[in-house]
Amino acid sequence: MESTPPTKPVVSPASGESVRAPQLKGKLGTGGLLLTVLAFNAPIGVMAGLMPVVIAIGLGPATPFVYLGTMVLMLFFAAGLVAMARHMSQPGAFYSYITHAMGRTAGLGAGFAALATYVILASGTYVFMGIVMNTVSTDLLHGPSLPWWGWTILAWAVVSALSLFNVDVSTRVLGVLLVVEVAIVLVWDLRVFVNGGPQGRGLDLAAGTGNGSWGLALLFAIACMTGFESVQVFRSETRNPDRTVPRATYLVIIILAGFYALNSWAYLTGFGLKGTLDASASPAESFFGSLQQYVGTVARDAANVLVVTSLFAAILAIQNIGARYTFTLARDGVLLSPLAQVHPRRRAPTRAAAVLAGLVIALDLVLAILRVNEITWYVALQGLGLWGLIALMAWTALSIILFFRKNKNLESSVFKTVIAPAIAVVGFAVVLFLATKNTDLLMGGDGTVGRWCIAAICAVALAGMAYARWLRSRKPEVWTRIGASEDIH
């Protein structure tokens, strides 16, 4: 049986002295963490692309309650997550939690899967961003028309340059973009509720439940609320992390659930159930048309531009998270050691961010060279990224229970260490089953592409585990460092 990862500082085999891991540094407070993670969800992008789909595939007029139910599931998960994170001193999130609960082999598999998931999410979002940027350029700004990959390369250059700096710089950019797009959506909400819609201002819960189920509704609601689990990777770059990180985690969940519950109510009010079902066929066009109807042409044009900035902010958040996974794996000796270097002035994982950016654009360039259908692969990549996140959350929820079972002296709350994470395990397992069963809805096509995509990300996790076993026999000094710099306290 594999031994539990060491909880002491890493020891150099040459000198026998403790090796101090390179440290990230930042000044993020609760507000900065909130902005970074909220941007991950691209709020106006959800409204223009996903909201009517959630309503149509899920429970129709009961959608606001679906978001509130999702909030409860996420809060159960967060209760255990925050309790465990309090005993971790460095960033690492999924990788760190699973390593300390299930051992180095499982932990490294999770670390590789998490890194692959964020690369996939970023690549898929870049594809969509390239499509949207060309539409805005030609239809709204009367500018040039470029293939999607041309706009993608341009966006990648800007986003990747920002990701090389300290996360405080990214936070300022994300904050401005997020405030503007949220303001547009809230103004639309207000106008819809003031003017009313086809059925007035209320929700007709007896109007039907669309053509879906509560399980699919929960699956797509989770798609609108991911990102909160990534708060932990910025732990070393926050002020007073023991207080800031838990506060930001809970606030992100509550804010996102409340925001989307309100917006789904406004969507149902503004369109009516039948109108919302029709809107799912062309969600972006329908939402922008509604903005023009309720708020005006200026708001519609601004929202078209804000879809681009919303996706820009989301990709920047994703690349920042992926860069810190790369940094953590390199710091533990699993990846090349230069990737664990911290920029002396920016106090940021600049090299890790550059390599992560290279992986992201490489995947998109492969798609461009193969001339695949960009819409098909955007849907497939985003669906696969969501599947990966749900799988990692289920894996981590189980790890929380196992971790506190091994370390009973760390926490006295049975609710945080057993009950809450157990409920999360069951909830995420059900959602993961539905995601796997309905790959045609999640990733498009007839399900064949989805199954191959799921097999690919599972192969990445298995490769990470095989690599860990190889390190154990061939490079034991690296094997002992997997998760070792994550002191338990």
Side-chain angles (χ1 to χ4, degrees):
M1 183 174 178
E2 190 173 304
S3 60
T4 304
T7 61
K8 297 180 180 180
V10 182
V11 176
S12 167
S15 65
E17 296 178 357
S18 296
V19 177
R20 184 176 179 80
Q23 299 294 311
L24 300 174
K25 186 177 181 181
K27 300 178 181 179
L28 284 177
T30 302
L33 276 177
L34 282 174
L35 291 174
T36 298
V37 180
L38 290 174
F40 181 99
N41 291 272
I44 206 167
V46 169
M47 293 301 297
L50 192 57
M51 183 61 70
V53 178
V54 175
I55 296 171
I57 292 178
L59 300 181
T63 300
F65 301 102
V66 172
Y67 279 109
L68 297 179
T70 304
M71 177 185 70
V72 173
L73 174 62
M74 295 299 197
L75 287 174
F76 278 126
F77 179 49
L81 194 71
V82 168
M84 187 171 179
R86 189 162 44 241
H87 305 288
M88 304 292 164
S89 59
Q90 297 289 337
F94 294 131
Y95 163 61
S96 300
Y97 305 141
I98 294 170
T99 298
H100 280 292
M102 298 186 178
R104 298 179 180 88
T105 299
L108 195 54
F112 275 38
L115 185 57
T117 294
Y118 287 111
V119 169
I120 289 166
L121 284 170
S123 296
T125 308
Y126 271 126
V127 174
F128 185 47
M129 190 171 186
I131 298 168
V132 172
M133 287 178 71
N134 192 60
T135 301
V136 171
S137 174
T138 55
D139 295 353
L140 182 62
L141 304 178
H142 306 293
S145 176
L146 298 176
W148 69 266
W149 51 264
W151 291 110
T152 290
I153 291 173
L154 178 62
W156 171 83
V158 177
V159 171
S160 299
L162 281 171
S163 72
L164 300 179
F165 290 88
N166 188 281
V167 71
D168 295 334
V169 176
S170 296
T171 298
R172 297 187 190 102
V173 176
L174 295 173
V176 173
L177 298 177
L178 185 67
V179 168
V180 174
E181 64 176 292
V182 168
I184 290 284
V185 175
L186 291 179
V187 169
W188 176 75
D189 289 342
L190 178 62
R191 294 293 297 172
V192 167
F193 290 129
V194 168
N195 294 345
Q199 280 86 44
R201 297 180 180 84
L203 286 175
D204 184 4
L205 296 178
T209 58
N211 59 2
S213 67
W214 67 268
L216 290 176
L218 188 62
L219 168 62
F220 284 95
I222 288 176
C224 301
M225 294 178 59
T226 54
F228 74 91
E229 75 290 342
S230 64
V231 170
Q232 308 297 336
V233 303
F234 297 103
R235 185 176 183 86
S236 295
E237 297 165 89
T238 61
R239 299 190 301 266
N240 193 357
D242 288 336
R243 183 176 64 180
T244 301
V245 170
R247 183 185 298 170
T249 301
Y250 291 125
L251 283 175
V252 165
I253 296 171
I254 294 169
I255 290 171
L256 284 175
F259 183 71
Y260 290 129
L262 175 66
N263 291 335
S264 60
W265 182 6
Y267 217 110
L268 285 158
T269 301
F271 284 91
L273 179 59
K274 184 180 184 305
T276 302
L277 297 177
D278 294 339
S280 63
S282 54
E285 181 181 342
S286 300
F287 177 66
F288 294 141
S290 182
L291 269 173
Q292 182 173 9
Q293 175 187 348
Y294 285 98
V295 186
T297 303
V298 174
R300 180 204 64 191
D301 293 344
N304 272 282
V305 175
L306 284 170
V307 170
V308 175
T309 61
S310 179
L311 294 171
F312 177 93
I315 297 173
L316 180 55
I318 294 169
Q319 283 193 209
N320 276 331
I321 295 166
R324 279 143 187 83
Y325 269 100
T326 305
F327 169 83
T328 300
L329 290 168
R331 181 203 60 202
D332 289 353
V334 175
L335 300 180
L336 296 175
S337 58
L339 300 181
Q341 292 186 11
V342 176
H343 193 281
R345 181 166 52 85
R346 299 169 188 163
R347 304 296 290 176
T350 302
R351 293 188 178 184
V355 169
L356 188 281
L359 292 173
V360 170
I361 198 62
L363 179 54
D364 283 333
L365 290 178
V366 168
L367 299 178
I369 292 170
L370 295 177
R371 297 188 178 185
V372 301
N373 182 282
E374 59 269 26
I375 298 296
T376 299
W377 276 100
Y378 156 67
V379 174
L381 290 172
Q382 290 297 101
L384 179 60
L386 174 61
W387 189 93
L389 285 179
I390 295 173
L392 286 164
M393 285 191 283
W395 199 351
T396 302
L398 178 60
S399 296
I400 293 168
I401 299 172
L402 297 177
F403 173 80
F404 285 114
R405 195 172 179 179
K406 294 178 180 179
N407 300 277
K408 295 181 180 180
N409 60 312
L410 295 180
E411 292 282 342
S412 58
S413 172
V414 176
F415 174 78
K416 292 180 181 180
T417 60
V418 179
I419 298 174
I423 293 173
V425 169
V426 174
F428 288 136
V430 170
V431 173
L432 190 64
F433 168 77
L434 290 168
T436 306
K437 181 181 178 182
N438 296 280
T439 52
D440 54 335
L441 290 173
L442 186 64
M443 302 181 202
D446 61 359
T448 302
V449 172
R451 286 189 287 272
W452 277 107
C453 288
I454 290 174
I457 202 167
C458 290
V460 170
L462 291 174
M465 293 181 182
Y467 180 38
R469 305 305 292 180
W470 181 84
L471 289 173
R472 182 176 187 177
S473 61
R474 299 297 181 88
K475 293 188 176 182
E477 72 281 2
V478 176
W479 159 263
T480 58
R481 291 173 59 184
I482 297 175
S485 54
E486 301 289 337
D487 298 334
I488 297 177
H489 57 274

